[in-house]
Amino acid sequence: MNRKIKRKLGALLYYTVAKHLPPSYSGIRVGQTSLRRFCGKLMLKHCGKQVNIEHNAYFSPKVSLGDYSGIGVDAKIHGTCFIGHHVMMGENCTIITRNHRFDRLDVPMMEQGFEEDRPVYIGNDVWIGDKVTILPGVHIGNGCVIGAGAVVTRDIPDFAVAAGVPASVIRMRGESDQ
């Protein structure tokens, strides 16, 4: 079957039925995880093994989702995003890959269009807490933890724990808490 047709069928099934089914952690088992995974395989640029796409998530077909990774409840992923293997994502996360243009003063911002898409890269074995916002062009390294509510505006190195607005590295994993 043509890739374009598969993507449209997957989107139709996902956005009309699958996204509205209960979260994977609810006590109700109606095959929601398997159905959303099936839709992801049809819709996404790449969809790995045993992924978990949660209730009410919105995502671009330009997303690549690695093995054993998840897209959280109510997540919104706009544009090109590469998510590695074993990535956990909390609820209400937003990943943005482009912004509105606002450089001209003689034209309303809403009429200036968008900047170029700047993909987001998330490494392997990353934990993204609830309500995290990741801005265009950011690279999050392998083994990172991003604290709840953080706004990630710049790259985060491997094995860093980052939190805050804007997010900054507060320590490295493996260091003692002293």
Side-chain angles (χ1 to χ4, degrees):
M1 187 186 302
N2 178 322
R3 179 77 182 133
K4 197 174 198 179
I5 293 170
K6 279 185 181 179
R7 191 169 278 159
K8 288 185 187 289
L9 285 174
L12 179 66
L13 181 58
Y14 178 77
Y15 287 109
T16 59
V17 178
K19 89 175 243 176
H20 303 289
L21 295 174
S24 64
Y25 53 79
S26 76
I28 301 168
R29 298 280 184 252
V30 292
Q32 63 266 42
T33 302
S34 296
L35 181 57
R36 287 192 287 254
R37 182 180 299 137
F38 174 74
C39 292
K41 293 214 179 275
L42 294 174
M43 295 170 63
L44 295 174
K45 183 175 183 178
H46 171 77
C47 186
K49 299 183 295 192
Q50 297 297 310
V51 301
N52 184 31
I53 298 170
E54 280 292 358
H55 167 79
N56 205 36
Y58 166 84
F59 47 90
S60 161
K62 297 177 182 178
V63 170
S64 292
L65 185 60
D67 297 343
Y68 309 101
S69 290
I71 297 175
V73 171
D74 293 321
K76 292 171 191 63
I77 305 175
H78 305 276
T80 305
C81 181
F82 299 91
I83 299 172
H85 305 299
H86 298 94
V87 174
M88 298 184 293
M89 184 182 298
E91 295 186 7
N92 295 296
C93 292
T94 302
I95 300 173
I96 303 166
T97 62
R98 67 181 186 165
N99 282 317
H100 289 277
R101 294 190 57 140
F102 58 90
D103 49 329
R104 295 184 57 185
L105 301 178
D106 60 326
V107 177
M109 289 180 277
M110 67 187 306
E111 294 177 10
Q112 292 186 42
F114 290 93
E115 296 175 345
E116 291 293 317
D117 190 56
R118 294 173 37 218
V120 167
Y121 295 86
I122 299 170
N124 300 318
D125 189 29
V126 173
W127 176 15
I128 301 169
D130 287 359
K131 297 181 182 166
V132 168
T133 300
I134 302 171
L135 297 184
V138 167
H139 291 231
I140 296 175
N142 295 319
C144 289
V145 176
I146 309 297
V151 177
V152 186
T153 60
R154 61 181 179 260
D155 294 354
I156 306 295
D158 291 349
F159 305 108
V161 177
V165 179
S168 60
V169 175
I170 56 174
R171 71 182 181 94
M172 299 303 287
R173 287 182 59 205
E175 292 180 352
S176 66
D177 290 330
Q178 296 176 354

